[in-house]
Amino acid sequence: MAVDLTSNLAGIVSPNPFWLASAPPTNTYGQVARAFDCGWGGAVWKTIGQPIVNVYSRYGGIDLGTQRLIGLNNIELITDRPIEDNLKEMKLVKKRYPKHALIASLMVESKREVWHEIVKRTHGETGCDGFELNFGCPHGMSERGMGAAVGQVPEYCQQIVEWVKEVSTIPVITKLTPNVADMTYPARAAKRGGTDAVSAINTINSLVGVDLDLMAPRPNVAGKGSHGGYCGPAVKPIALNFVSSMAADPELQGLPISGIGGISTWKDAAEFIALGCANVQVCTAVMHYGFRIVEDMCDGLANWMEQKGYQKLTDFQGRAVPSIQKWENLDLNHFIRAHIDEATCIGCELCFIACEDGAHQALALAPKNGKRLVEVKEDMCVGCNLCSLVCPVPGCITMRKVENGAPSVSWKQHCAGAGALAPRPQHYNTVEE
Amino acid sequence: MSIRIASADRQLSAADVAHNFAELHPALTEAEALAESARCLYCYDAPCTQACPTHIDVPSFIKKIHNDNLKGAARVILDANPLGHSCARACPVQVLCEGACVMLQQEHRAVAIGRLQRHATDAVLAQGWKLFSAGAPTGKKVAVVGAGPAGLACAQELRRAGHAVVVFDARKQPGGLTTFAIAQYKIRPDTALAEAKTILDLGVELRSGVQVGVDLTFEQLERDFDAVFLGVGLGATQALGIPGEDAAGVVDALTFIEQLKTRPYGTVAAPARVLVIGAGNTAVDAATQARRLGAAHVAFVYRRSEDEAPAYGFELDLAKASGCTFHWLTAPARVLVEGDRVTGLECVRMKLGAPDASGRKGVSPVPKSEHVLPCDLVIKALGQSKRGDLLRQVEKLQLDSAGRVVIDEEGRTSNPRYFAGGDCVNGGKEIVNAAADGKRAAGAISIFLKGT
Ligand SMILES: Cc1cc2nc3c(=O)[nH]c(=O)nc-3n(C[C@H](O)[C@H](O)[C@H](O)COP(=O)(O)OP(=O)(O)OC[C@H]3O[C@@H](n4cnc5c(N)ncnc54)[C@H](O)[C@@H]3O)c2cc1C
Ligand SMILES: Cc1cc2nc3c(=O)[nH]c(=O)nc-3n(C[C@H](O)[C@H](O)[C@H](O)COP(=O)(O)O)c2cc1C
Ligand code: SF4
C-alpha cells in the first residue's frame, strides 16, 4: 500500500507536511534550495520587514545530561538582509521548486499602508504561495510594537489580518505567540479578521540561564543580556497544548493549523497532526542537525502510517482531538495500579524513593532470595504513574487496570448527584502524637 | 565467559558446548538499543560511513532506531549492504566503522555500531519484513557463480534492477563462507541461511550442488545468459609440505570449522592437545573454537613473531582470552605419527632477519633447534589457495600472478561478459568487501546489459 504524504494547509499544497519554520534555516536561497533537495515540503522564509541590525551572540542552549540543546533561546530579530535580496531569492526558489510551498513571513509596523505595501510587493515580486504574519517574536521586535506586542492583543491581531486580507490574493497564515494565557482569543480574533489558517507556536519568553562568573544572563552581549525566545524539544508539550486548545475550540472549527514547537522526529510531527494540524514546521532540530533530518521524518511517518493502515494524512489528522476533555469529564472510578515485573527489575529502587518521598508511600522494599526488589502496597497505590516514569527499565513497571466493579462517574456527574465514588486509598497517618 | 574444558573423565555435553559457543556479541535488549543509539552524535559526513566498504549511512540508521523507525533503519542498512545481517555479526568493526567513531576520542568507547546494526536487521528476520522488491523485468538473464556474499549481494541488486538471475553453487546450501566458515560464536548457519533466503525470495533461482567448470561449462553459461558474475571465493587450505601431513590427526582449518558448524553440538569433539599452524584470522578461529569444543591445551605454531602475525590484534586478544598459548618463531618440520595417531609436531626455532620484499622481516632457522611439541591434533591454517585452475577455463579472463581475477573499479573483468568480486578478486578479505564488490558489479552489469 502506498502512503501519500501530500499535505494541504488552507489550499497550500506541499509534497509532504514538513516545512521549515521562519528562522535562520530559511535565511537564503542556498539554504532553502538545499533543504528542498533534501526533501522538505515547504519553507516559511525568514521574516522580512524593515531591515534591522542584530547583536553578536544570539543563542543560548539548555542541555540535559549528554544531550545538547533540548532547549534553544535566541535574541535574534527578523531578517537583517535587504528586502530586495530576500525577494529576489524567494522568486528564484519558487521558480526552481514550483511544487514546494514557499511562504513569505511578514512583520512591519502597525500601519495599514505599510502592510498593504509589503503584501502587494512581496507577492508581486516572488510568486510565493502564502503569507505568514509574524505576531510572535517575544523579544526585541515587541519593544518596537511588533511581533508579540501584536499577538498578545486580539484586537490588534484582527486589525492587521483585516488589512492584509484587503489586498492579499493568496492564503494568509497568522503565526501566534505562546506568550498568552489562552491562545484561542488571538486565534478567534485572527479568524474574525479573515485569516485562512493559524500557525503556532512562536518562541516563548525566556531567560535560559545566568553565567555565575559574569553575573550576566546567557547569551550575553558585552556583559549584558536580554530575555529571548525559547524553542526546541523542551517546548513541545507547551506547543501541543496550545494547538489542541485551538483544535478543540468550537469557534475555531474549520480553521487550519500549522503546528510548530519542538518537532524533531516523525513521531513529534504525527502527534501534532493527530491533534488537528494540517502540517508542521521545524526550526531548532534543523539548526542542530541540518536539513538531512527530514529523510527520517518522511520515512518514519510513512512506515508508521502504512503499519496503521492510514493512506493519507487526513486519515489520522485530528483523531486525538475528541479525547482531550475537561478534567471534570474524566472517569473518577477508573482505577489503575502499578505492577513491577520482578524478572526485569534491576534493583535501583528509584521507584521506591520516588513514591516514598514524592508521592503516596505505596511501595515497599522487599528483597527476595538476595535479589533487591520492590513491592506494591496494593491498598495504597493511587495509580499516579510516578514509579513507572522514573523506572529506567523499559516495560518493567506497568500500570494495570484494577477492576473495582464501580460504574464510571465524572466529577461533573458526581456533583450533579449521579453516581457514587469507589472507595479510595487513604494516606497512612504518620503523625506522632 | 569461562570455557568449559573436557577431561579424561568428563566429556562435554551438548549443553556445555552450547555454553562455550555463546555469542560473542549478543543481541541488544530494547533498553540497550535505546541507550546506545542515544550515544550516536549523528555526525555529518560521518567517518563510520566512510570507513564502511559498503558506505552504510550509519548515523541515519542509528537515528532511525532511536526514533522508533526500525524498519527504516533496516532498509538503510540492507539497501547499502545486502549482507547486512552477516556483517552486523562478523565484521571486524574495530578496524572499520567503530574504529572511525568520533566517540573514541570523546569517551574512549565507540558507539556499538555492529550491535545496533544487528538490532535493526534481526527485526527483519523476526518480523518477516519484505524490504525490497524485484524491478520491472528487463528480459536479460545473468548467471551468478557462487552463492557466497559476493554472489548474493550481486543477485539482490540484479533482481532489484529487474534482471532474471540464476545463482549456481557447488554446495547444497547458499551463503558461502558465511554459512560454513565464520566462527560459530559470531554467526550461526541458520542466520546466514535466513539472510540468503531474503535475497533468494526476490525471485533469484538457486541451482545448488552444481559445480561450474565440472558439471556445467562456462561456454554453456555464455550460451544461456547475457552476463556472468564470478563470486567463486577461494579454494582449499594450502598444504604444509612437510612429512606426516596426510595423517588422520592432521586437519585443515576450514574442514574443522565446517564440521563443528554443521553438526549438532556434542557430536564433534577436540582432543586434549591441539596445535594450530599459522597466526592469521582463520588460525585464531580454529584455535578459539578448538578450545570451545573442550580442548585442554591449544597452542599456535607460527614461524615469525607476534608483531608479524597477520591476525587482527583484537582476534589475537580473543585467542588469549580463550586460553590459547603461542609458540612464536617456531616452524613445523614434521608431523610425528604412531600408527594412525598423531603424537607430536617436530619444529625448529626461527630467528628474525632483515625485512624481505614484502616488507616483513625475513626468518631463518636456528641451527640445532629441533624440538617436539606433543599433540593429538594438528590444524593447518595457512590460508586458502587461489582459483586459477577453475578461472583459466574462462576465455580471455585476465588473472594476476597470484591467480586473482583482475577487475576495474566497477567489477568488470577483461572479458566483457564477465564480472567478478569477493575473495576470488581480492585474495581473501571480509564479507563486507565481497558484498561491496558484488553490489557494485551489479551496477556495471546493468550498464553493460543496456547496451546489449
Ligand atoms: C575461517 C574463516 C573465517 C572468516 N571470518 C570472517 C569474519 O569473521 N568476518 C568477515 O567479514 N569475514 C570473515 N571471513 C572472510 C569471508 O568469509 C569472506 O571474505 C567472504 O565469505 C568472501 O565471499 P565470497 O562470496 O567472495 O566467497 P565465498 O564466501 O567463499 O563464497 C564462494 C561460493 O562460491 C561457491 N563456488 C566456488 N566455486 C564454485 C564453482 N566452480 N561452481 C559453483 N559454485 C562455486 C562456493 O561453494 C561458495 O559458496 C572468514 C573466512 C574464513 C575462511
Ligand atoms: C534563531 C531563531 C530565529 C527565529 N526567527 C524567527 C522569525 O524571524 N520569524 C518567525 O516567525 N519565527 C522565528 N523563530 C521561531 C521559529 O520559527 C519557531 O516558531 C520556533 O523556533 C519553534 O519551533 P522549534 O521548536 O522547531 O524551533 C526563530 C527561532 C529561532 C531559534
Ligand atoms: S555557528 Fe559558529 S561559525 Fe557559524 S556564525 Fe555562528 S558562531 Fe559563527
Side-chain angles (χ1 to χ4, degrees), chain B residues 107-145:
Chain B
E107 296 181 351
H108 301 282
R109 188 163 71 83
V111 172
I113 299 168
R115 295 181 72 194
L116 285 166
Q117 179 170 329
R118 173 171 173 180
H119 186 72
T121 53
D122 274 359
V124 176
L125 299 182
Q127 309 286 332
W129 288 328
K130 306 265 176 275
L131 297 178
F132 308 109
S133 49
T138 61
K140 304 287 180 186
K141 282 179 78 179
V142 183
V144 171
V145 187

Side-chain angles (χ1 to χ4, degrees), chain A residues 265-267 289 292-293 295-296 299-300 303 306 394, chain B residues 31 41-44 60 63-64 67-69 72 75:
Chain A
T265 69
W266 66 266
K267 261 190 177 171
Y289 294 113
R292 60 196 166 129
I293 59 169
E295 191 276 333
D296 187 57
D299 182 48
N303 282 341
E306 185 176 336
Chain B
L41 296 180
Y42 196 53
C43 294
Y44 177 68
S60 164
K63 187 111 179 153
K64 284 171 191 286
N67 291 350
D68 210 357
N69 180 10
R75 190 182 283 129

Side-chain angles (χ1 to χ4, degrees), chain B residues 69-404:
Chain B
N69 180 10
L70 211 51
K71 192 175 187 179
R75 190 182 283 129
V76 167
I77 295 163
L78 295 164
D79 179 50
N81 179 351
L83 273 284
H85 301 268
S86 293
C87 287
R89 293 167 161 79
C91 264
V93 287
Q94 296 92 327
V95 298
L96 296 173
C97 51
E98 292 183 19
C101 179
V102 299
M103 287 303 266
L104 280 173
Q105 299 167 58
Q106 172 98 337
E107 296 181 351
H108 301 282
R109 188 163 71 83
V111 172
I113 299 168
R115 295 181 72 194
L116 285 166
Q117 179 170 329
R118 173 171 173 180
H119 186 72
T121 53
D122 274 359
V124 176
L125 299 182
Q127 309 286 332
W129 288 328
K130 306 265 176 275
L131 297 178
F132 308 109
S133 49
T138 61
K140 304 287 180 186
K141 282 179 78 179
V142 183
V144 171
V145 187
L152 288 173
C154 188
Q156 166 163 314
E157 295 310 296
L158 289 170
R159 282 304 291 145
R160 291 181 70 187
H163 309 305
V165 182
V166 179
V167 179
F168 297 88
D169 201 289
R171 292 178 176 276
K172 288 270 182 303
Q173 286 171 309
L177 297 180
T178 58
T179 303
F180 296 102
I182 310 292
Q184 180 76 348
Y185 47 75
K186 292 184 187 166
I187 184 172
R188 315 260 156 96
D190 54 354
T191 307
L193 291 172
E195 171 177 69
K197 187 169 181 302
T198 63
I199 295 172
L200 297 176
D201 282 351
L202 288 171
V204 175
E205 183 187 338
L206 173 67
R207 291 195 203 148
S208 55
V210 178
Q211 200 177 344
V212 176
V214 176
D215 305 321
L216 190 71
T217 65
F218 285 101
E219 290 80 57
Q220 281 171 292
L221 286 186
E222 289 167 26
R223 222 174 297 135
D224 296 346
F225 295 90
D226 300 298
V228 182
F229 176 79
L230 300 169
V232 294
L234 295 172
T237 305
Q238 285 162 12
L240 285 167
I242 59 172
E245 180 170 1
D246 300 329
V250 181
V251 63
D252 76 86
L254 286 181
T255 308
F256 175 74
I257 294 169
E258 180 173 336
Q259 283 182 0
L260 74 88
K261 281 181 72 75
T262 52
R263 297 182 189 173
Y265 287 152
T267 62
V268 180
R273 298 167 307 176
V274 177
L275 290 178
V276 177
I277 300 177
N281 294 320
T282 298
V284 170
D285 284 3
T288 52
Q289 293 182 96
R291 277 288 283 174
R292 283 166 172 76
L293 287 176
H297 305 281
V298 176
F300 290 77
V301 174
Y302 183 57
R303 55 209 295 259
R304 300 169 199 260
S305 73
E306 181 165 359
D307 287 346
E308 287 81 34
Y312 294 120
F314 62 84
E315 291 285 12
L316 289 174
D317 289 344
L318 179 69
K320 290 170 192 168
S322 303
C324 303
T325 57
F326 298 86
H327 300 286
W328 302 115
L329 289 168
T330 304
R334 188 156 65 99
V335 181
L336 304 180
V337 185
E338 270 174 28
D340 58 357
R341 222 169 55 85
V342 167
T343 59
L345 184 68
E346 187 182 298
C347 299
V348 286
R349 261 189 274 289
M350 310 294 279
K351 61 172 192 285
L352 290 172
D356 64 11
S358 71
R360 287 198 302 183
K361 286 194 179 122
V363 279
S364 54
V366 177
K368 301 223 167 39
S369 65
E370 291 79 5
H371 58 289
V372 171
L373 301 173
C375 68
D376 310 302
L377 178 71
V378 173
I379 301 178
K380 300 185 286 184
L382 293 184
Q384 294 170 261
S385 56
K386 309 293 184 296
R387 307 300 307 274
D389 287 350
L390 170 74
L391 296 166
R392 268 186 279 276
Q393 297 181 25
V394 181
E395 243 180 87
K396 296 199 235 98
L397 186 72
Q398 191 192 342
L399 306 181
D400 68 8
S401 57
R404 298 174 296 202

Side-chain angles (χ1 to χ4, degrees), chain A residues 20-25 44-48 58-59 72-79 105 107 132-137 139 175-176 200-204 229-236 260-264 281-287:
Chain A
L20 292 170
S22 173
V44 186
W45 202 269
K46 172 75 183 172
T47 304
I48 57 176
R58 302 175 193 178
Y59 313 142
L72 173 69
N73 160 288
N74 84 87
I75 54 169
E76 188 174 289
L77 305 182
I78 62 172
T79 185
S105 169
M107 183 198 289
E132 188 178 77
L133 313 183
N134 180 351
F135 296 166
C137 282
H139 52 274
K175 184 167 179 180
L176 299 168
I201 58 172
N202 208 309
T203 53
I204 303 173
Y230 195 48
C231 52
V235 311
K236 188 182 105 181
I260 317 171
I263 296 166
S264 318
Q281 301 183 28
V282 180
C283 165
T284 304
V286 165
M287 290 181 71

